[in-house]
Amino acid sequence: MKQFLITAAGVFAGLVIFMIGVPFVLISMAASAAGPPPTPAKTVLELDLRGALTDQSPQNALAAFTGRGHSAMSILAGLRRAEKDDRIKGILVRLPEQGLEPGIADELRLGIKHFRTSGKPVIAHSQGLYPAGFITATYMLGAAADELWMQPGASFQVTGLANEDIFFKRAFDKFGVKADYEQRYEYKNAVNGYLFDDYTPAHRAAELSWLGSIYQTDIAAAASDRKLDAAALRTMLEAGPYLADEALDKHLIDHVGQVHEAQRALLKRAGDGAELVDFEDYARGRPSSQRGAGPAIAVIEAEGDIVDGKDEGGSPFRRGASIYADDTADAFYDAIKARDVKAIVLRLNSPGGSDTASEEILASIRAAKAAGKPVVVSMGTYGASGGYWVSSEASAIVAEPSTLTGSIGVFGGKFALGPALAKYGVDVRHLGVGSTYASAFGLGEPFTPDQRAAFAHWMDRIYDNFVARVAEGRKLPVERVREIAKGHVWTGVQAKDLGLVDQIGGFYDAVDKAKALAGVTGEARLKRMSPSGSPVEALQKMLGVSASSARTLAAAAWVFGDPRAQEVLDGLAQERLRSQGAMVLAPTRIH
């Protein structure tokens, strides 16, 4: 009876997925396949940045069909298309109330300024700016518009930047938990919250350094765009907070009005019959630069923690991201084999990850260079630690002014929970054979002196490897790299002065650099070669069945009465499948 009930439950669950889940997926895919609605002859685009915003679009095939949310890369492509589209007469940007990631704000600022060279107006509208996150980055982005509006009575609280860290050391001491970690070196502060109850001098200095650099960059950019003196603007901002009318009196904004008034102002400029269209609907159209013949610049996107292996699934609808080393390396080798690809731009947004995974991706970059195809890294908000390991030997590195990069260092260790668990009657014991190092990462006790010595020696070798790759790739003396490494995080501006990056700029600056290095003149297609699975592969992962079974289930969904899926199924029938953070016990991490 028990086995019968288990089997029956399994069958019922399968039927639920089959009858509800599959048709839902196919309907979503069919809706997406239908494409965006026609663009009116006179259009004002509304770009709403108040929701989820990532650096890159999800690479998961089904995640792209479900949910909404912008990415900086899709916005940039849409802006480039819109500035050449005679139907687009202007853009309204809805600003978030909190701070944007600084690298994303830098990139979007460049995109908006480039759009404005077309002579089409941009209005940014805010319903309030509050001191949360990188709020100066949000203000900087609004300042890049032709006009910055604010809702009547809204708060203008752009008074500086602050960051908050939590320290667990005293709580760990109270409960008998030992955080046993090694760091290389004093600026590698990712685990300081476990080891100390306050900032160390190095931690404090490093954090104030990058915060100060971002703050200065944001103020300088906003002052330039609003044609104000940077020092005077900083003084005015720090004297706040203000309400909207006070911000207007101080020329910090241009107009006080409701969002519908801003919409009406742009529609009036666009002419009779103009319509408001959601930017995301417009951006869904495929850029013409992806199609055609002639030389191409491959674009490989990578966002998230750097991990070993391939993307084997999980939820196929997730919008979160990891950089899988096998998949990313395969994308580089595909670009190497593509005859039309003359250079590669790696759009990277990563705070780090596995050293072995980073090395695998770096090896594929070396292979691309050896094949005569320059590789230019375009860094988003992060290009640090493992992200910098990956970038270190690229032909060139282009970073945003506020990119957080460097962090050339490693950390690793464990939590020793034995004493804490013993208080609750739980005893951790271990047995082993061979070296005592075999049990080094057991939960029961801290490292013994011999284990720590062996572990520290191993950490030193990983750190030395990291330094060597940076010295080789950046053509810097090893001793110079050791001076500026030690786990120190730098902003893009600081990294440029130190020789860790080549150029300050955004994605399209990286494309121009790649074209120059490859000797490509005139226009070049951007050929997206980011690792991604087909919808069939994603469905296969969701259901845990073979690709042929996934197609069979999809076809059955249509037979059972979903004619809207037919078009999608016709495409799927022709499709060929491609042939191709810090864990407690992980011994090393290069975040």
Side-chain angles (χ1 to χ4, degrees):
M1 177 61 73
K2 178 179 179 182
Q3 185 59 46
F4 170 78
L5 292 175
I6 292 173
T7 302
V11 171
F12 177 76
L15 286 172
V16 170
I17 293 175
F18 177 74
M19 299 300 294
I20 299 175
V22 174
F24 170 77
V25 170
L26 293 173
I27 291 169
S28 299
M29 291 163 59
S32 178
T39 302
K42 295 179 182 179
T43 294
V44 171
L45 298 176
E46 181 169 289
L47 173 57
D48 194 340
L49 300 178
R50 295 174 300 167
L53 182 62
T54 58
D55 185 76
Q56 300 162 25
S57 299
Q59 294 176 7
N60 182 285
L62 289 183
F65 288 114
T66 58
R68 296 176 68 84
H70 289 297
S71 73
M73 292 293 285
S74 65
I75 292 172
L76 288 179
L79 287 171
R80 287 292 173 115
R81 210 155 51 88
E83 67 186 54
K84 299 175 184 177
D85 190 336
D86 292 337
R87 298 169 299 177
I88 307 304
K89 305 301 181 182
I91 295 179
L92 174 67
V93 180
R94 304 286 303 274
L95 296 174
E97 294 182 346
Q98 299 182 347
L100 287 168
E101 285 193 5
I104 288 179
D106 286 339
E107 190 73 80
L108 295 185
R109 172 180 176 265
L110 293 176
I112 286 174
K113 288 175 68 67
H114 198 279
F115 175 86
R116 288 180 57 193
T117 62
S118 66
K120 302 174 183 181
V122 178
I123 291 178
H125 187 276
S126 170
Q127 292 178 288
L129 296 170
Y130 296 92
F134 295 94
I135 192 61
T136 54
T138 303
Y139 178 64
M140 174 193 70
L141 180 59
D146 292 280
E147 298 175 12
L148 175 54
W149 290 42
M150 181 164 271
Q151 182 172 297
S155 295
F156 184 98
Q157 300 188 28
V158 187
T159 57
L161 290 182
N163 193 45
E164 193 169 54
D165 296 286
I166 300 177
F167 295 87
F168 295 94
K169 175 65 164 57
R170 291 198 305 115
F172 286 173
D173 289 345
K174 179 178 179 180
F175 291 103
V177 175
K178 168 68 174 177
D180 215 1
Y181 280 85
E182 288 279 324
Q183 301 158 284
R184 297 294 182 274
Y185 276 97
E186 65 267 28
Y187 296 103
K188 196 69 176 179
N189 298 315
V191 292
N192 275 15
Y194 307 146
L195 304 176
F196 306 101
D197 59 14
D198 200 352
Y199 296 102
T200 64
H203 190 172
R204 183 183 302 275
E207 201 151 306
L208 287 174
S209 175
W210 64 256
L211 276 171
S213 179
I214 291 174
Y215 187 45
Q216 183 176 348
T217 294
D218 290 348
I219 296 296
S224 174
D225 290 342
R226 292 195 61 78
K227 297 183 172 48
L228 297 171
D229 176 74
L233 175 60
R234 178 171 179 166
T235 298
M236 278 192 290
L237 291 175
E238 293 179 1
Y242 307 109
L243 291 178
D245 57 346
E246 296 173 301
L248 178 64
D249 289 342
K250 296 182 179 299
H251 306 291
L252 297 172
I253 62 174
D254 299 295
H255 197 90
V256 174
Q258 299 287 352
V259 66
H260 72 270
E261 295 176 291
Q263 292 169 343
R264 208 160 50 229
L266 277 172
L267 290 170
K268 183 177 180 180
R269 296 183 204 181
D272 292 341
E275 298 181 39
L276 196 67
V277 171
D278 184 270
F279 187 94
E280 189 172 2
D281 289 338
Y282 176 79
R284 280 170 54 199
R286 188 182 180 193
S288 59
S289 60
Q290 295 277 359
R291 302 188 289 266
I297 305 298
V299 177
I300 297 174
E301 295 169 307
E303 181 169 21
D305 282 358
I306 302 171
V307 298
D308 293 293
K310 294 179 177 290
D311 183 358
E312 296 293 349
S315 169
F317 301 104
R318 72 189 188 282
R319 296 188 69 86
S322 292
I323 301 171
Y324 291 89
D326 286 5
D327 294 338
T328 305
D330 285 347
F332 272 97
Y333 290 115
D334 287 344
I336 291 170
K337 290 184 288 187
R339 293 184 178 181
D340 58 337
V341 170
K342 306 304 179 185
I344 302 167
V345 172
L346 172 62
R347 175 63 178 195
L348 180 73
N349 188 43
S350 174
S354 160
D355 60 316
T356 53
S358 300
E359 180 66 15
E360 180 181 355
I361 298 171
L362 177 57
S364 68
I365 291 175
R366 292 192 194 108
K369 291 170 59 182
K373 300 190 177 186
V375 178
V376 177
V377 174
S378 167
M379 290 182 172
T381 294
Y382 301 103
S385 201
Y388 194 78
W389 186 308
V390 165
S391 308
S392 60
E393 296 185 34
S395 307
I397 301 174
V398 179
E400 308 285 358
S402 299
T403 292
L404 297 179
T405 188
S407 192
I408 302 165
V410 296
F411 73 83
K414 66 176 183 178
F415 288 107
L417 302 177
L421 293 174
K423 294 180 179 180
Y424 299 95
V426 179
D427 298 308
V428 180
R429 312 292 188 207
H430 73 266
L431 294 171
V433 295
S435 166
T436 57
Y437 191 74
S439 62
F441 293 95
L443 288 171
E445 300 294 337
F447 293 120
T448 66
D450 287 346
Q451 289 171 341
R452 180 174 292 281
F455 180 50
H457 179 62
W458 182 58
M459 293 280 287
D460 287 337
R461 284 184 292 173
I462 296 175
Y463 179 73
D464 289 344
N465 285 342
F466 199 166
V467 169
R469 280 150 183 74
V470 174
E472 171 70 21
R474 301 305 304 168
K475 303 295 185 290
L476 292 171
V478 169
E479 290 310 311
R480 174 56 178 159
V481 177
R482 290 189 182 279
E483 289 176 11
I484 60 179
K486 302 179 182 179
H488 206 303
V489 174
W490 307 101
T491 64
V493 170
Q494 294 170 325
K496 172 68 166 58
D497 292 339
L498 294 170
L500 294 177
V501 305
D502 298 287
Q503 183 178 336
I504 299 300
F507 170 73
Y508 284 102
D509 296 304
V511 171
D512 290 340
K513 182 69 173 179
K515 287 171 56 180
L517 290 174
V520 175
T521 57
E523 290 293 321
R525 291 179 296 120
L526 298 184
K527 185 174 182 179
R528 188 178 186 273
M529 301 189 72
S530 304
S532 60
S534 70
V536 169
E537 288 174 315
L539 191 60
Q540 172 190 349
K541 290 173 182 176
M542 179 182 73
L543 299 175
V545 298
S546 67
S548 60
S549 298
R551 288 191 177 91
T552 302
L553 285 171
W558 171 59
V559 170
F560 274 96
D562 188 3
R564 289 168 292 185
Q566 185 172 11
E567 182 181 348
V568 177
L569 293 173
D570 290 341
L572 293 177
Q574 303 300 322
E575 184 176 308
R576 290 186 178 181
L577 296 176
R578 294 190 308 152
S579 57
Q580 4 234 99
M583 296 182 296
V584 170
L585 299 182
T588 186
R589 189 74 165 164
I590 51 174
H591 264 316

